[in-house]
Amino acid sequence: MIITQSTLFSEIDKLIKELNPQTISDERKAVLQPLTDFMQSKVSNGQDIRINFICTHNSRRSHLSQVWAQTMANYFNVKNVFCYSGGTESTSLFPMVAETLQNSGFEVKTISEGNNPIYSIKYAKNEHPIIGFSKKLDDDFNPKSEFAAIMTCDSANEACPFVPGAEKRIPITFEDPKLFDSTPQQAEKYKERSLQIATELFYVFSQINS
């Protein structure tokens, strides 16, 4: 994999360069492999890569995964990658997720208030922002076919044995930082989960030969 000069915001670029994929166990790499295979197949065939990260409420892990995947595509110069997120139900993007991303160097702006706020999340000055808000997995905002459905939580994985339109359904689950909401460890645990997701997606994208 040839890494071109990154156009990411400098703070994000610095954070990515400090990630250590060697901390990922062989067992976890085996969990990640189907996503690598899906992406490599698409690249080899000159096709777009569409990935929909799915969790129950589309409020935490699925958004972190969507944002980091789109960012890693830019970092590793993997073209035509389109990342989405959804839930088995919609709630709202949890504010601590937006704060965690902002603390990592993302430019986060609230563009709509209300029970389900809409956020603009930018990782680079000249790239289109990621639009972050909670939605069901089959929302019109998301692709209807030719995508991989990545199940980021156990409950969504169990509740959705079939995802309409998905070419592949791949469970890559993460522990829920929600367990630490309203505790002194909250910010630390959200950062920890964000960095785990970033590290694992760094590893996945680093395997792609384009």
Side-chain angles (χ1 to χ4, degrees), residues 50-66:
R50 296 182 185 88
I51 310 170
N52 194 0
F53 294 93
I54 297 168
C55 201
T56 304
H57 299 119
N58 190 211
S59 57
R60 295 170 175 81
R61 290 163 285 180
S62 48
H63 276 108
L64 289 171
S65 299
Q66 175 190 5

Side-chain angles (χ1 to χ4, degrees), residues 127-146:
E127 298 298 331
H128 195 279
I130 296 160
I131 306 302
F133 66 100
S134 184
K135 70 201 84 66
K136 293 186 71 172
L137 59 92
D138 59 354
D139 189 275
D140 287 343
F141 208 78
N142 289 338
K144 300 303 179 188
S145 64
E146 300 177 7

Side-chain angles (χ1 to χ4, degrees), residues 82-96:
F82 304 96
C83 299
Y84 307 85
S85 66
T88 54
E89 57 185 277
S90 65
T91 53
S92 63
L93 192 158
F94 192 63
M96 192 67 212

Side-chain angles (χ1 to χ4, degrees), residues 12-180:
I12 300 173
D13 189 71
K14 180 175 182 291
L15 183 154
I16 291 174
K17 285 180 166 61
E18 292 172 351
L19 296 174
N20 183 11
Q22 293 180 342
T23 59
I24 304 171
S25 69
D26 289 341
E27 291 80 8
R28 189 64 178 174
K29 286 178 180 177
V31 171
L32 298 169
Q33 190 62 43
L35 176 55
T36 305
D37 293 342
F38 172 82
M39 290 172 51
Q40 186 61 64
S41 172
K42 291 293 185 182
V43 169
S44 300
N45 290 312
Q47 297 173 309
D48 292 346
I49 299 170
R50 296 182 185 88
I51 310 170
N52 194 0
F53 294 93
I54 297 168
C55 201
T56 304
H57 299 119
N58 190 211
S59 57
R60 295 170 175 81
R61 290 163 285 180
S62 48
H63 276 108
L64 289 171
S65 299
Q66 175 190 5
V67 169
W68 277 118
Q70 198 69 64
T71 303
M72 292 304 172
N74 178 285
Y75 184 80
F76 285 104
N77 199 32
V78 181
K79 301 295 187 184
N80 301 316
V81 177
F82 304 96
C83 299
Y84 307 85
S85 66
T88 54
E89 57 185 277
S90 65
T91 53
S92 63
L93 192 158
F94 192 63
M96 192 67 212
V97 169
E99 186 177 324
T100 300
L101 290 169
Q102 198 159 24
N103 290 340
S104 299
F106 292 88
E107 186 180 278
V108 181
K109 291 184 178 178
T110 306
I111 55 178
S112 174
E113 303 279 359
N115 293 331
N116 186 3
I118 301 174
Y119 296 88
S120 162
I121 304 165
K122 291 197 74 168
Y123 53 87
K125 189 177 293 185
N126 291 332
E127 298 298 331
H128 195 279
I130 296 160
I131 306 302
F133 66 100
S134 184
K135 70 201 84 66
K136 293 186 71 172
L137 59 92
D138 59 354
D139 189 275
D140 287 343
F141 208 78
N142 289 338
K144 300 303 179 188
S145 64
E146 300 177 7
F147 66 93
I150 310 302
M151 318 307 288
T152 63
C153 71
D154 288 325
S155 55
N157 187 34
E158 293 163 6
C160 285
F162 172 74
V163 178
E167 280 184 34
K168 296 282 185 183
R169 181 190 173 284
I170 304 169
I172 303 178
T173 62
F174 301 96
E175 289 184 16
D176 195 351
K178 180 182 180 179
L179 299 171
F180 296 91

